[in-house]
Amino acid sequence: MFNFEKNLKQFVSSYPITVIYICLCVLFSLIVLFFLNGYREHSLLLMGALNGNTLENGEFWRFITYSIGHMSLFHLIVNIPFLMILSRPLEKYFGSFLYLIILVFLSLLTGITIEMFHSRDFPLAGSSGIGYGLIGIYMYYIIFNQNKLNQDDRRFMTIFSVIGLLSTFTIPNISIVGHFSAFTFGLLMGFITDLMIKDRKRITH
């Protein structure tokens, strides 16, 4: 999972959805920092954070944009390597089109669940929901179809998942509902894609 392509052009051509998603996350944060006076409530709402009334107001686009924005620069910096490591093998395995659909559904389903069950006084944004959904996909394969990953990557993802679980309960202002719902939807995506993809190719070699 740690083998990166030797040059930027090869990396972009191999993982276009991963690159576009990460670039959008960075772009959103740059706009907030340099044009919207920093990570304030008004700025986050303008950039599409969940506001607690998304369903009532019919602002359904927020179920996508919240997963591109972030709550702080530190939040962004922590999530980017997280996404980079998890995203590449899955995009290569599923193909860019199916992988994009998976990301959209993870964002939508997690966002709707957050709106329904997570109470808060401040807008919510971040790509960690997507990240926990990706962990859920990996964990499905580790539990039910472990031949899809090599032994080292199964061990790495298990440890990574435990760290993610602990951070959910130890880092303040994290949406526990968001993390657990994303992980659950990731398990579901793993199940569905396992039914769809019947060949013997592996996620990691």
Side-chain angles (χ1 to χ4, degrees):
M1 296 180 73
F2 292 101
N3 295 323
F4 285 81
E5 278 59 26
K6 294 181 180 180
N7 60 70
L8 180 61
K9 183 178 180 180
Q10 185 181 4
F11 185 88
V12 172
S13 63
S14 298
Y15 314 108
I17 301 304
T18 298
V19 171
I20 291 171
Y21 181 44
I22 290 174
C23 286
L24 284 173
C25 290
V26 173
L27 177 62
F28 267 46
S29 283
L30 290 176
I31 292 173
V32 168
L33 283 171
F34 293 104
F35 298 100
L36 296 177
N37 201 27
Y39 294 93
R40 302 173 183 272
E41 180 176 355
H42 179 66
S43 303
L44 295 173
L45 288 174
L46 282 176
M47 295 305 294
L50 295 174
N51 59 12
N53 298 301
T54 300
L55 289 169
E56 293 87 343
N57 296 338
E59 298 174 335
F60 303 117
W61 46 273
R62 291 188 183 274
F63 292 129
I64 298 295
T65 53
Y66 85 94
S67 62
I68 302 173
H70 285 80
M71 304 296 290
S72 67
L73 184 59
F74 176 76
H75 191 200
L76 173 72
I77 292 171
V78 168
N79 279 340
I80 291 303
F82 181 39
L83 291 171
M84 189 77 73
I85 291 171
L86 298 177
S87 186
R88 296 174 303 106
L90 292 180
E91 181 171 358
K92 188 174 183 179
Y93 176 70
F94 293 129
S96 295
F97 179 72
L98 178 57
Y99 185 63
L100 174 61
I101 292 174
I102 289 170
L103 292 186
V104 169
F105 271 96
L106 285 174
S107 181
L108 285 172
L109 294 172
T110 303
I112 291 170
T113 305
I114 291 171
E115 282 287 294
M116 293 175 65
F117 298 106
H118 177 78
S119 60
R120 63 194 178 281
D121 299 320
F122 199 78
L124 188 66
S127 58
S128 54
I130 294 286
Y132 277 80
L134 299 183
I135 291 176
I137 294 174
Y138 281 109
M139 290 308 298
Y140 170 85
Y141 282 101
I142 288 172
I143 296 169
F144 297 106
N145 195 351
Q146 62 179 246
N147 290 330
K148 289 291 185 180
L149 295 99
N150 65 45
Q151 185 177 8
D152 289 340
D153 287 334
R154 291 198 303 270
R155 186 181 300 112
F156 168 78
M157 281 308 308
T158 301
I159 295 172
F160 200 84
S161 299
V162 172
I163 294 172
L165 176 65
L166 293 175
S167 68
T168 298
F169 291 102
T170 55
I171 298 177
N173 301 320
I174 278 182
S175 172
I176 296 175
V177 170
H179 284 191
F180 274 92
S181 62
F183 180 80
T184 302
F185 291 128
L187 289 173
L188 177 62
M189 292 293 175
F191 171 72
I192 293 171
T193 55
D194 200 22
L195 293 178
M196 293 172 56
I197 302 174
K198 293 300 184 181
D199 58 38
R200 296 186 177 183
K201 68 179 180 177
R202 303 180 71 184
I203 298 174
T204 61
H205 300 273

